[in-house]
């Protein structure tokens, strides 16, 4: 199983970016999917998550600015980030709880995509 993330980049404060992450491999079921981020010198934190039936949760600092969504047919999760702030600068990782055809790990991680917000 692989998670392939894309969509990071450099943007000015107030701008927008859309992150995408697609899962591939011998997947039986995908449960929760989410996005984490890790800024330099800080611990990785959960930014947003979405259940298989579309219920979303957000960390307080991004509520009203970020929107998480998923496409179950494409096995993909997205993060629309609007009104970006310099403090959103971090490496963003997608995560998914995946039950595979052959039993294996439950949590899978994407490779990380860098988001840089300039002031």
């Amino acid at each position: 199983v692989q998670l392939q993330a894309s969509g990071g980049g450099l943007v000015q404060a107030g701008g927008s970016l859309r992150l995408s992450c697609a899962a591939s491999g011998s997947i039986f079921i995908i449960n929760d999917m989410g996005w984490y981020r890790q800024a330099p010198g800080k611990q990785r934190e959960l930014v947003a998550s979405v259940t298989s039936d579309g219920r979303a949760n957000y960390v307080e600092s991004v509520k009203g600015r970020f929107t998480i969504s998923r496409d179950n047919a494409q096995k993909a999760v997205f993060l629309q980030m609007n009104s970006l702030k310099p403090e959103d600068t971090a490496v963003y990782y997608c995560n998914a709880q995946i039950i595979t055809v052959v039993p294996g790990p439950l949590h899978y991680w994407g490779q990380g995509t860098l988001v840089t917000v300039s002031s």
Side-chain angles (χ1 to χ4, degrees):
V1 173
Q2 288 188 329
L3 294 180
Q4 183 67 43
S6 61
L10 173 64
V11 65
Q12 288 188 331
S16 298
L17 284 174
R18 179 177 169 84
L19 305 183
S20 301
C21 178
S24 62
S26 298
I27 296 169
F28 182 55
I29 294 173
I30 302 179
N31 292 324
D32 291 2
M33 304 183 83
W35 289 94
Y36 289 70
R37 67 186 178 187
Q38 187 165 19
K42 295 188 177 181
Q43 289 189 331
R44 189 174 298 188
E45 67 169 349
L46 175 63
V47 177
S49 63
V50 59
T51 63
S52 57
D53 59 356
R55 288 174 288 126
N57 284 291
Y58 301 91
V59 69
E60 191 65 34
S61 60
V62 308
K63 285 182 179 179
R65 300 188 298 121
F66 291 11
T67 302
I68 190 170
S69 60
R70 63 189 284 172
D71 184 323
N72 291 330
Q74 294 185 24
K75 300 184 180 65
V77 62
F78 310 96
L79 187 68
Q80 178 66 42
M81 304 184 293
N82 298 329
S83 302
L84 282 160
K85 303 176 181 180
E87 51 263 43
D88 295 317
T89 295
V91 177
Y92 285 70
Y93 299 89
C94 60
N95 172 274
Q97 297 175 9
I98 296 176
I99 298 174
T100 52
V101 173
V102 176
L106 179 60
H107 289 273
Y108 291 85
W109 292 90
Q111 81 281 17
T113 184
L114 177 62
V115 172
T116 304
V117 184
S118 63
S119 57

